[in-house]
Amino acid sequence: MSLTSRFASIRNGDSVDFSKVPVVPIEDFRSSILKMAAAKHRLCALFSQATDDRAPAGLLAVLADDIGGRLYLAASQPAASYPTLTPELPQAHLFEREIHESSGVLPEGHPWLKPVRRALADKTPFFQEQGEEVHEVAVGPIHAGIIEPGHFRFQCHGETVHHLEIQLGYQHRGAERLLSAGPDRRSMAVAESICGDTAIAHAWAHCMIREALAGASVSLRDEALRAVVLEVERLSNHIGDLGAISNDIGYLPATAYFGRMRGDFLNMLMLVSGNRYGKGMLQPGGAAFDIPDGMRAQMIETVRRSVTQVKEVADMFFGEPSVISRLEETGTVSMKVCEDLGLVGVCARAAGLDRDVRQDHPFGLYRFRHIPVIKLDSGDVFARAMVRFLEAQRSLEFLNALLENLPEASAGSPCGTPAGNRLSVSLIEGWRGEVCHVAKTGRDGRFEWYKVIDPSFHNWIGLAMALRGGEISDFPLSNKSFNLSYAGHDL
Amino acid sequence: MIDIIKNRIKQGYRTSKFPEEDPGLPERFRGRPVIQPELCGSGCAACVEACPTAALEKGKNGLLTLDLGRCLFCTECTAACPEGAVSFTKDHRLAASRREDLLVTGNEAKLAETLGEEMKRLFGRSLKLRQVSAGGCSACEAELTALGNVVFDLGRFGIQFVASPRHADGLVITGPVTRNMSEALRIAYEAVPSPRLVIAVGACGISGGPFIGSEDHLGGAASVVPVDLFIPGCPPHPVTMLDGLLRLLGRLKEDRVGGQDRRVVPD
């Protein structure tokens, strides 16, 4: 029996009858995952299907074949415990903590089985070093800027960071539970508020789930509109991050100019959707707002102007030797670490991983129009900044070409109600990386459970690794270069 | 260096003329909503049923009330109403001093009042604020950050975000106040010296917004601390925030829209 035959296989944005998903004993489930991972399949999601926090519960895994563009699904029979995957498969570390927290299922032998979202940080133990001149620095939950809350605990020797532990959960609002109660009139609003700077990617992921389960198709025009706003969202964040990075190193001209240009893209979302974050733009079945010709011309003008302006400021920024010397070899994560820990998005590509949902599991318009994947190999703050600049340029080119040739308006079919007892997975390449939604309907077509994996869920551990052996004073800059979401992680 | 100077000259002056001039928001911007009761059909509750956050309510008298504190300024109600009884204007002014002032029944808005004489004397020309996100999705936080950029340039009004609550005159709270943040928020509030202000920003910060009903949060800033200014939106536009702050400090000379009354927009 071939390995993949132990899994149900679907493409991104498809749905499958749940009875086609193999349900195997937990031992087989575990060993199949390890074998798939050894064959270069990536863990997109691993969670319990429990609807309350009492074990036993069945687990479900989604593995991605990024080369073949397929997703593999398998479920386990209900179990109260199983031998942990984490030591053999480090990318499972946080998934297993979440499983234990949400369902009580015990991953036996997990090296650090702490709460993820539900308990307060000061009630949980932290890894501690002992010794002369070793000291501990605790930061948060409230930080010194306009930023979301989280707790960071550093084990330091002088200025050198030996270990950073990141404890989140302060932002937990119960988003998954509210989504599981749907689909209903508030589902879209919740999806758009999982992580406000990624409202469009999460909205799209939710729409794709709804459309897959209902068997609805989206018109080409609406697919194009979605791609337009997703790339504008990427631009606003990438440009904003470049400004924030320049602020953290005290290079203020670039902070001011990138900061203003970020506004140009937020204003473009406002122009189209009436909201600077694109909330309300997407709806199951299509897009809520069209781009009429006058608006299209206005957007093309902004895009063209931005091509020049972004490059001018970026040339100034990256052309400054003192900027480069501050960014290079700061906060480095190797490709091996990224691969082992399953990092996604900008962080992974900055370390040389060829990983982008738009290429690997194309969805919507990206099935027909491609966008080149940018990757660098140094894995440091410089690489993460440069990847953002290069991706911003590719997004501008993509927008310019797409807005010049928007597909003709055509009637899409309205999205109906989901079919019963089906499971669907949607992956969207948000600006931070892979946004993953997985949902299953009960017999009545309502969700039985709904899981959300924001790219930050994969990537926070990357920030901790980037700090190892570095100086504690590099933390703000490294943190900014990852710019991960607390709310997206905490849900 | 010469490149930096050349680039600086090219960038020009970018600060918005607001509040002296109209903010010039685009056509699709959804600002202060207006209810036209004469258009609202009896027996129809399509808007009420469509609203994601139950911001709309139809009373026994058949009159609609829209709670700006819950409103996400989405288009569900306007799309659902066959008569166009609910609509959004381009008016960016939304901030109010009291929770009940956020209830809209027609074409009125009870906008924020200026602080009392003593508070105005203390904070009118220099206001330092500490921001606390207590479950905010980062959209409100991002717009608060945007207030500091060259376009909105909050500093020109003497308003500034500071790092420590002990240096602050007040808190700006975003998010529905998650259970896991409630203690930290209380501690931050206690750390701000009296007299102090509290400003609740966004639907979440006022009511819980899209997360209303979840047991993982307390339902907004007012559940933990007394609030002096409510700024609705999901997220509020930076000019809506700026308008609220300037109104609170009595720094707006004249209302450009409406006219007669500085606080109440007439029917």
Side-chain angles (χ1 to χ4, degrees):
Chain A
M1 193 165 90
S2 81
L3 184 54
T4 52
S5 66
R6 297 174 194 203
F7 293 82
S9 155
I10 63 170
R11 289 203 183 269
N12 182 17
D14 278 352
S15 74
V16 61
D17 194 316
F18 195 69
S19 61
K20 302 264 166 49
V21 177
V23 181
V24 296
I26 190 88
E27 301 77 29
D28 296 351
F29 177 77
R30 187 183 176 283
S31 64
S32 307
I33 290 175
L34 288 174
K35 282 181 196 150
M36 288 288 270
K40 295 274 176 200
H41 290 64
R42 189 169 54 80
L43 195 59
C44 284
L46 176 68
F47 51 86
S48 90
Q49 300 184 62
T51 45
D52 57 33
D53 52 8
R54 279 191 294 272
L59 307 186
L60 196 124
V62 181
L63 288 134
D65 172 5
D66 291 335
I67 309 285
R70 296 203 77 87
L71 302 171
Y72 292 94
L73 309 164
S76 83
Q77 288 164 5
S81 69
Y82 67 98
T84 176
L85 284 159
T86 296
E88 288 161 89
L89 187 69
Q91 49 181 310
H93 75 110
L94 198 55
F95 286 116
E96 292 198 310
R97 280 168 57 176
E98 196 275 337
I99 287 170
H100 183 243
E101 177 176 80
S102 65
S103 69
V105 175
L106 178 69
E108 276 169 31
H110 189 289
W112 204 228
L113 198 59
K114 286 182 43 164
V116 180
R117 307 182 169 119
R118 293 205 184 160
L120 289 171
D122 57 7
K123 308 277 189 291
T124 65
F126 283 87
F127 178 83
Q128 268 191 323
E129 265 186 331
Q130 303 290 335
E132 262 183 73
E133 294 178 40
V134 172
H135 63 106
E136 188 178 59
V137 180
V139 184
I142 300 181
H143 304 202
I146 304 178
I147 186 168
E148 297 175 62
H151 185 84
F152 303 100
R153 196 71 72 93
F154 300 86
Q155 307 298 320
C156 297
H157 183 259
E159 287 289 297
T160 308
V161 178
H162 285 177
H163 184 70
L164 162 61
E165 186 169 348
I166 301 171
Q167 178 63 45
L168 303 177
Y170 295 93
Q171 296 281 73
H172 181 57
R173 301 150 295 173
E176 278 183 350
R177 204 174 303 164
L178 292 177
L179 286 166
S180 300
D184 58 26
R185 60 187 182 172
R186 78 150 114 196
S187 302
M188 279 304 296
V190 173
E192 286 173 339
S193 298
I194 287 169
C195 172
D197 53 31
T198 313
I200 292 163
H202 275 290
W204 197 342
H206 179 70
C207 285
M208 225 153 92
I209 291 276
R210 298 265 291 265
E211 288 147 10
L213 291 170
S217 62
V218 177
S219 78
L220 196 57
R221 173 83 170 193
D222 285 357
E223 295 280 33
L225 296 173
R226 287 177 175 187
V228 166
V229 290
L230 186 70
E231 294 309 319
V232 177
E233 178 175 83
R234 189 180 322 280
L235 277 159
S236 72
N237 285 295
H238 278 6
I239 301 294
D241 281 352
L242 288 171
I245 289 170
S246 39
N247 190 47
D248 268 19
I249 61 172
Y251 189 67
L252 300 183
T255 307
Y257 310 154
F258 281 131
R260 175 187 57 77
M261 284 190 274
R262 163 179 159 80
D264 289 344
F265 299 109
L266 294 178
N267 289 340
M268 203 189 278
L269 289 176
M270 164 64 82
L271 184 73
V272 178
S273 70
N275 182 294
R276 298 225 305 168
Y277 296 83
K279 290 186 176 185
M281 176 65 192
L282 272 67
Q283 60 188 22
F289 297 95
D290 193 29
I291 298 179
D293 276 345
M295 187 182 288
R296 196 168 62 93
Q298 206 179 332
M299 291 171 75
I300 292 174
E301 201 198 306
T302 310
V303 166
R304 292 201 179 142
R305 197 180 57 231
S306 301
V307 171
T308 321
Q309 290 189 353
V310 169
K311 185 162 185 325
E312 272 172 5
V313 179
D315 283 349
M316 180 183 83
F317 179 69
F318 289 114
E320 192 66 46
S322 60
V323 168
I324 299 302
S325 68
R326 185 70 187 88
L327 304 187
E328 277 183 344
E329 291 172 35
T330 303
T332 306
V333 273
S334 67
M335 185 157 100
K336 168 98 173 57
V337 166
C338 286
E339 207 157 22
D340 286 350
L341 292 171
L343 304 197
V344 295
V346 170
C347 315
R349 293 194 286 277
L353 282 182
D354 189 9
R355 190 171 278 182
D356 187 322
V357 179
R358 292 172 296 174
Q359 166 195 269
D360 304 335
H361 306 275
F363 53 96
L365 195 78
Y366 301 102
R367 288 172 295 171
F368 315 115
R369 278 176 185 255
H370 303 287
I371 197 160
V373 175
I374 306 291
K375 56 183 175 113
L376 296 177
D377 52 16
S378 56
D380 50 7
V381 175
F382 168 78
R384 287 186 288 276
M386 190 52 116
V387 164
R388 284 179 166 90
F389 166 52
L390 297 173
E391 288 191 1
Q393 284 188 308
R394 298 296 88 78
S395 294
L396 285 167
E397 287 160 11
F398 179 87
L399 280 176
N400 192 24
L402 180 54
L403 287 166
E404 280 286 354
N405 281 302
L406 268 186
E408 289 297 315
S410 59
S413 52
C415 185
T417 49
N421 205 36
R422 289 187 82 82
L423 181 145
S424 175
V425 183
S426 64
L427 303 180
I428 302 288
E429 187 71 21
W431 65 275
R432 273 193 193 92
E434 177 181 286
V435 168
C436 173
H437 288 207
V438 193
K440 177 186 179 288
T441 50
R443 240 184 267 165
D444 56 358
R446 302 191 59 76
F447 293 132
E448 222 162 60
W449 46 256
Y450 196 106
K451 298 302 281 189
V452 176
I453 298 103
D454 186 84
S456 305
F457 190 84
H458 298 282
N459 284 2
W460 274 109
I461 187 74
L463 172 61
M465 298 307 288
L467 258 286
R468 278 201 183 167
E471 289 184 25
I472 192 164
S473 52
D474 283 341
F475 175 71
L477 180 59
S478 290
N479 186 25
K480 204 65 76 183
S481 75
F482 280 84
N483 191 13
L484 301 174
S485 169
Y486 301 74
H489 173 281
D490 293 347
L491 298 175
Chain B
M1 191 64 200
I2 193 76
D3 286 339
I4 297 177
I5 294 167
K6 275 201 280 191
N7 208 313
R8 175 67 195 88
I9 293 165
K10 219 174 195 176
Q11 292 288 331
Y13 182 78
R14 301 286 191 156
T15 303
S16 137
K17 296 276 193 299
F18 181 84
E20 280 74 32
E21 288 177 19
D22 192 84
L25 296 165
E27 215 43 52
R28 288 179 181 173
F29 170 75
R30 292 181 293 280
R32 186 173 58 83
V34 166
I35 295 172
Q36 291 169 273
E38 66 278 12
L39 296 182
C40 180
S42 64
C44 169
C47 62
V48 176
E49 281 153 25
C51 180
T53 56
L56 278 155
E57 221 173 76
K58 201 160 187 174
K60 284 198 184 103
N61 52 9
L63 289 179
L64 275 178
T65 307
L66 173 55
D67 180 357
L68 295 182
R70 285 173 165 245
C71 183
L72 304 180
F73 296 79
C74 66
T75 52
E76 296 298 332
C77 56
T78 51
C81 179
E83 309 295 339
V86 189
S87 57
F88 290 97
T89 67
K90 275 177 66 181
D91 189 352
H92 62 276
R93 301 169 307 164
L94 296 166
S97 301
R98 285 175 294 268
R99 183 70 182 84
E100 60 271 24
D101 289 350
L102 295 174
L103 300 177
V104 172
T105 54
N107 183 12
E108 84 283 353
K110 298 184 191 78
L111 299 175
E113 292 162 20
T114 303
L115 289 170
E117 275 311 307
E118 178 59 9
M119 293 282 266
K120 196 181 160 193
R121 190 183 66 78
L122 285 170
F123 302 140
R125 301 194 320 161
S126 163
L127 180 66
K128 309 291 169 197
L129 298 167
R130 166 71 241 205
Q131 206 275 321
V132 178
S133 170
C137 72
S138 84
C140 286
E141 290 81 352
E143 292 300 53
L144 287 163
T145 305
L147 282 178
N149 71 22
V150 294
V151 178
F152 302 107
D153 192 15
L154 195 62
R156 69 193 151 128
F157 304 103
I159 309 171
Q160 194 191 353
F161 285 99
V162 293
S164 168
R166 296 201 191 282
H167 302 158
D169 303 314
L171 295 183
V172 176
I173 301 169
T174 53
V177 185
T178 54
R179 290 194 180 279
N180 291 349
M181 264 308 283
S182 58
E183 189 190 350
L185 174 60
R186 270 189 206 104
I187 294 170
Y189 176 76
E190 292 303 330
V192 178
S194 288
R196 57 201 158 193
L197 292 172
V198 174
I199 300 166
V201 168
C204 289
I206 301 175
S207 68
F211 301 98
I212 285 172
S214 165
E215 60 194 50
D216 297 307
H217 66 79
L218 304 177
S223 59
V224 184
V225 291
V227 175
D228 303 284
L229 182 68
F230 298 88
I231 307 181
C234 186
H237 193 284
V239 299
T240 301
M241 297 180 177
L242 204 45
D243 171 80
L245 289 168
L246 296 179
R247 221 165 265 284
L248 186 74
L249 300 180
R251 297 280 298 272
L252 283 182
K253 288 191 186 72
E254 283 296 330
D255 269 338
R256 289 147 285 100
V257 199
Q260 296 97 326
D261 195 304
R262 286 178 59 172
R263 197 173 69 78
V264 179
V265 180
D267 270 347

